[in-house]
Amino acid sequence: MTDPTIDRTTTPASTPASAPTGLTVAQAAARFDEFTVVDVRTPGEYAGGRLPGAHNVPLDRLGEAARALRAAAARGPLLLVCVSGNRSAKGCAQLAALGVEAATLEGGTGGWAAAGHPVERPAGARTPWPMDRQVRLAAGSLVVAGFAAGLARPRAHRLSGLIGAGLVFSAVTDTCGMAALLARLPHNRPPKDAPSFEETLVRLAAPVL
């Protein structure tokens, strides 16, 4: 289904076909009932607060969910969200490469909540830091540890160098191995009572009655 917010007659010819369509919070809120909302954050982040009715499909599992997302997109437009809009924009590009059209929410859940729109947050749910903040903490801690250890053992400075090289590689390739590792930690995993990934795929693929 073609998203009516996209004016294809005025899109510059140089714009890549896979460039994600960004919707502001106001634009998304005005048409919210039309969207199937997909939250691409980690299960822990998702459990800490999400847009009403959002389905959790972590960014690194979008490929596994392609068939279910394609079925959902055939019924109506997809809206991908994360904490700020960065990961959801990457997710839109990934889905575009698989032939699935989706829009990204600019400003993410943070912008949505700041505008006064409702956020679902189960009672007692913890709110882990956004993944980019967790990565900065982990990388910074390792660099400091390498520097401090290097005062006693000069070779330990290599740890700081390796982390720096890893950050450069992450920026050049637009990937983050550290984020993938951190996503496996307990606080980033779904609560025991959360729907499984397989259940989420079934819900996405099932027609709305």
Side-chain angles (χ1 to χ4, degrees):
M1 178 175 178
T2 302
D3 190 334
T5 63
I6 306 174
D7 184 357
R8 300 188 183 279
T9 62
T10 59
T11 301
S14 59
T15 300
S18 60
T21 300
L23 297 181
T24 65
V25 168
Q27 288 172 325
R31 302 174 46 211
F32 191 70
D33 290 342
E34 301 176 26
F35 293 109
T36 296
V37 182
V38 178
D39 193 316
V40 300
R41 296 176 298 165
T42 66
E45 291 176 285
Y46 169 82
R50 66 267 189 171
L51 272 64
H55 302 274
N56 185 213
V57 180
L59 183 62
D60 61 355
R61 305 195 72 176
L62 278 181
E64 299 175 60
R67 180 176 297 181
L69 291 170
R70 189 174 291 111
R75 298 193 305 270
L78 298 180
L79 180 66
L80 268 56
V81 302
C82 64
V83 68
S84 65
N86 291 332
R87 278 177 281 176
S88 56
K90 292 179 182 178
C92 286
Q94 288 183 26
L95 290 181
L98 298 172
V100 181
E101 185 175 353
T104 177
L105 178 64
E106 297 176 348
T109 55
W112 179 268
H117 297 297
V119 174
E120 290 181 347
R121 183 176 289 108
R126 296 177 300 171
T127 305
W129 285 358
M131 184 54 67
D132 61 338
R133 188 177 180 187
Q134 294 185 46
V135 168
R136 293 198 302 271
L137 175 64
S141 298
L142 289 172
V143 169
V144 171
F147 174 78
L151 296 177
R153 294 179 176 271
R155 289 187 177 183
H157 282 143
R158 294 177 181 178
L159 174 61
S160 299
L162 287 173
I163 296 301
L167 293 173
V168 171
F169 179 80
S170 176
V172 171
T173 61
D174 199 21
T175 60
C176 187
M178 186 175 290
L181 291 174
L182 291 173
R184 298 177 181 274
L185 296 179
H187 65 273
N188 284 320
R189 293 182 178 179
K192 293 181 180 180
D193 58 349
S196 68
F197 181 70
E198 290 70 22
E199 289 177 277
T200 297
L201 297 188
V202 170
R203 294 179 184 182
L204 282 168
V208 179
L209 301 180

